[in-house]
Amino acid sequence: MKKNTDKEFKVGICGLGTVGEATLMLLTGENSNEIRHRIGASICVSHVATRTLKPELTKNVPCVGTDPFVVANDPMVDIVIETIGGYDPAFELIKQALANKKHVVTANKALIAERGNELFEMAEENNVVLAFESSVAGGIPIIKGLREGLAANKINWLAGIINGTGNFILTKMTEEQRQFDDVLKEAQALGYAEADPTFDVEGIDAAHKLTIMGSIAYGIPLQFNKTYTEGISKITPEDISYASELGYAIKHLGIANSSCSGLEMRVHPTLISKTQLLANVDGVENAILINGNAVGSTLYSGPGAGGDATASSVAADVIDIARYTLAGSSKPVYPSLGYQLRHKNIQVLEIDDVETEYYLRIPAMDEVGVMAKISSVLQAHGISIEAVIQKEPVSEVVPIIILTHLAKEKNMVLAMQAIENLEEVVGDINRIRVESF
Ligand code: HSE
């Protein structure tokens, strides 16, 4: 049957950086015919707003300018794509577009995670869609996977490598036994890490993405400020090597877990068994392992950043919106965060109340009775030891490596303080959480 391909959706792209440019190319390039057939209508990039004009790229775009609000206010535009990034003017721009009853597609994870509740409310009031597939894990269709593919499941837990820069750094530190600072410089030179790498290496970027996935998985409002966030800057090649000896890799994970005491939302370096597929996702790749009560565990991996990969997700949202519009629903059938927010009252646990296993590296003097003292502190705090490594000393300080069984964070913090106060312990303990999926 011949499809009606007469309808044309007018799209305005705001921001022509790496992702905006790749989106323009994808929607207007060699895939445009295929996309038209898949929708049953055409996508026309009618507007581009960009701070730096790039005439070569936009020569076929009818309206090109520097002011994104022109795009948000033009009655011709059906869908506004926000690829500017950051908070300002992206937040006001999205609000303006939604108020004008335009659908919006954004790649802006910081904005969705921190201001999304307000924006989704506005989208609902105006009966339009705010789509954000590209805000988490770049080219991996994880939002659709979680919201649609796993819609019949209760999500027990999910754990993801959701920052490519951090994964690149940990991979290099592992493969080449290099220090964090040294590899960070290489990541910056390669353009993976920003000049100010804080968002990536201190886990803020991953916390934004985890906040979004957690909201969909558990039907809760976005709660970025409740997501516990710890970065990778304190990880050393020694820790990676001891972890490896014990059968573990160190990965920077975003974890959402529905435990019996509440919901855990946490980003931190984690020891995971080297036999796990997730432990073998290296370099700038992302991967998310999701456990649903019907399906069991499913793993999604691929490029978490980069122009073409992210544009693939942006364009998929545009296609979804066009399909939904053509289906003629009176109300968006495209749910913002996947559920009505059914679980507004679910509490996200404080990190103090979270239980995990732990890896400890304790710098201690090589003296009689140290091990016994450390063991008795752990015992006094109800923490049981699973494994210990103590090498022959090469100086008077010897690292004692301990793996514990499950312990509550607040007990571990108290035990660590008590151990650091022992006179034979001569520095800070390096503590890394351990997970077995
Ligand atoms: N800075 C991010 C990362 C890019 O390294 O994964 C996409 O969010």
Coordinates of all heavy atoms in Angstrom, one line a residue, residues 23 27 144 182 245 329 349 369 388 424:
T23 N 23.1 16.0 13.7 CA 21.7 15.8 13.6 C 21.2 16.4 12.3 O 20.4 15.8 11.6 CB 20.9 16.5 14.8 OG1 21.4 15.9 16.0 CG2 19.4 16.3 14.7
L27 N 19.4 14.1 9.4 CA 18.0 14.3 9.0 C 17.9 14.8 7.5 O 16.9 14.6 6.9 CB 17.4 15.4 9.9 CG 17.0 14.9 11.3 CD1 16.5 16.1 12.1 CD2 16.0 13.8 11.3
K144 N 14.2 4.3 25.5 CA 13.2 3.4 24.9 C 13.2 2.0 25.4 O 12.2 1.4 25.6 CB 13.3 3.5 23.4 CG 12.9 4.9 22.8 CD 13.1 5.0 21.3 CE 12.6 6.3 20.7 NZ 13.3 7.5 21.3
D182 N 47.8 11.4 34.9 CA 48.5 11.2 33.7 C 47.5 10.8 32.6 O 47.5 11.4 31.5 CB 49.5 10.1 33.9 CG 50.3 9.7 32.7 OD1 50.6 10.7 31.9 OD2 50.7 8.6 32.6
E245 N 43.9 -8.9 41.3 CA 44.4 -10.1 42.0 C 43.2 -10.9 42.7 O 43.2 -12.1 42.7 CB 45.4 -9.7 43.0 CG 46.4 -10.8 43.4 CD 47.6 -10.2 44.2 OE1 48.2 -9.2 43.8 OE2 47.9 -10.8 45.2
S329 N -3.3 11.1 18.0 CA -3.8 11.0 19.3 C -4.1 12.4 19.8 O -3.5 13.3 19.5 CB -2.7 10.4 20.2 OG -2.2 9.2 19.7
L349 N 17.2 6.3 49.5 CA 17.9 6.1 50.8 C 19.1 7.0 50.8 O 19.8 7.3 49.8 CB 18.5 4.7 50.8 CG 17.5 3.5 51.1 CD1 18.2 2.2 51.0 CD2 16.8 3.7 52.4
G369 N 50.7 -7.7 65.6 CA 49.3 -7.4 66.1 C 48.5 -6.5 65.3 O 47.3 -6.2 65.7
V388 N 41.6 -11.4 52.5 CA 42.7 -10.5 52.9 C 43.9 -10.7 52.1 O 44.2 -11.9 51.7 CB 43.1 -10.7 54.4 CG1 44.3 -9.8 54.8 CG2 42.0 -10.5 55.4
E424 N 49.2 2.2 64.5 CA 50.0 1.5 63.4 C 49.5 1.9 62.0 O 50.1 1.5 61.0 CB 49.8 0.0 63.6 CG 50.4 -0.6 64.9 CD 49.4 -0.5 66.1 OE1 48.4 0.1 65.9 OE2 49.7 -1.1 67.1

